[in-house]
Amino acid sequence: MTKNVTALAASLLLLASCTEEVPVNPGSGDAIAFGTVSTTRGAVTSADQITDFKVYAKKFPTGSVDLQQVSDVFYPNIVQTVTKQDNGTWTYPDQAYWLNGNTYSFLSLYPSSVEATNVVELDNGNIAHYLTISGYQVGKDEDLMMGVNHGIEASKDVTPGTVDVQFRHLLSQVDFVVKADAETVAMVGAVKVTSAKFYGTHATGDYSGKTFTTTGADKGTWTLTGNVTTVDNPTAENSIAEVPTGGVSLFGKSFILFPAKEPAKVVLTYTIGTDPTELTYEQDLSLLTPLGWEAGKSYRYTITIVDKEHILFDVPTVQPWSKGTGGIIIVE
């Protein structure tokens, strides 16, 4: 069945009737619904780029700390994928309704293709609900975002309105821009990058959202696994026939990588003017970002080739992906 709903703040909207004993799939009533977004691959900087996301939901009697009383909100499919239709409405397969006397927890994940594990456990005497992801692979240039809404209570006196999910980035974005010094080009001719390699990053990792906070102060924990890319098997490599003075992307794209202090390096081989001598420059990125990359932040390293002895590899500019909202994706 389809449902109408409007979502706010990268959002999942949950409207519902509040009765004592409402069956999971009643024949009528207000159902969960969702708002406006559109599709993308890569780093999401606007809600317009989202066309679907996945929602995990649990409920339990308010005040209970008994795991046996925790149940699924959605049925028969306990995980719902919310999808934008051609007419701009959002639909998902199975309706769900508020039940009085229950507390609800919602976890939203983008993109919907990512498989996660829905975890419920006791933590310091409270019921904890969070997601874990095993063996996640970067390198697909695809964003990964999550939002949580815990502790929403439904009662005779209080009917929850909307559940506004603020999606936050779980990964980091890294880019490299190379440019030739204008005076050098004017004096001796074009600068050519014969080889550029970026390596020293992990390709896989395991994620736990146990510590994820709605404020974004903590975006969960990554444990990196598997091999690290090497100079012989790099994360990326490229060549540039003529480096412009205004700058160009060194590898033709940005990278979406794990937030971590990686042993990453960039190696450049280049020539200047008509001199065929190849010069090599290597930069250890950990020296420029000693604390490592943080989730939800975009890092742009700028490299200026001046002459045979000088390459300026600047400390990166760092900013949230969505500057207007501090890195939060808002769906309107």
Side-chain angles (χ1 to χ4, degrees), residues 202-236:
H202 283 81
T204 59
D206 298 331
Y207 175 77
S208 171
K210 184 173 183 177
T211 61
F212 185 101
T213 58
T214 55
T215 62
D218 190 324
K219 297 182 179 68
T221 304
W222 284 100
T223 302
L224 305 190
T225 60
N227 296 326
V228 175
T229 56
T230 65
V231 67
D232 296 321
N233 183 27
T235 304

Side-chain angles (χ1 to χ4, degrees), residues 65-143:
V65 292
D66 183 356
L67 292 180
Q68 298 300 316
Q69 293 188 301
V70 178
S71 60
D72 296 307
V73 172
F74 301 121
Y75 181 84
N77 298 308
I78 63 174
V79 181
Q80 296 290 302
T81 298
V82 182
T83 306
K84 184 180 182 181
Q85 302 303 307
D86 292 340
N87 62 2
T89 63
W90 291 87
T91 64
Y92 62 100
D94 308 304
Q95 293 186 35
Y97 296 79
W98 297 112
L99 294 177
N100 289 339
N102 282 271
T103 296
Y104 290 74
S105 173
F106 298 89
L107 308 176
S108 300
L109 187 66
Y110 173 91
S112 60
S113 58
V114 175
E115 294 297 327
T117 299
N118 205 10
V119 179
V120 179
E121 64 184 19
L122 284 180
D123 181 29
N124 294 322
N126 298 310
I127 293 177
H129 178 212
Y130 60 94
L131 296 180
T132 62
I133 303 172
S134 298
Y136 185 83
Q137 293 185 343
V138 293
K140 304 183 292 292
D141 300 327
E142 186 172 80
D143 208 346

Side-chain angles (χ1 to χ4, degrees), residues 6-71:
T6 309
L8 236 270
S11 65
L12 150 66
L13 302 184
L14 185 53
L15 305 171
S17 55
C18 250
T19 58
E20 288 291 350
E21 296 294 335
V22 179
V24 175
N25 285 313
S28 63
D30 295 330
I32 297 172
F34 304 83
T36 306
V37 286
S38 76
T39 194
T40 189
R41 289 288 184 245
V44 175
T45 57
S46 167
D48 291 338
Q49 295 172 269
I50 303 173
T51 53
D52 58 33
F53 56 94
K54 190 178 289 185
V55 180
Y56 302 73
K58 295 287 186 179
K59 69 178 189 294
F60 54 88
T62 299
S64 174
V65 292
D66 183 356
L67 292 180
Q68 298 300 316
Q69 293 188 301
V70 178
S71 60

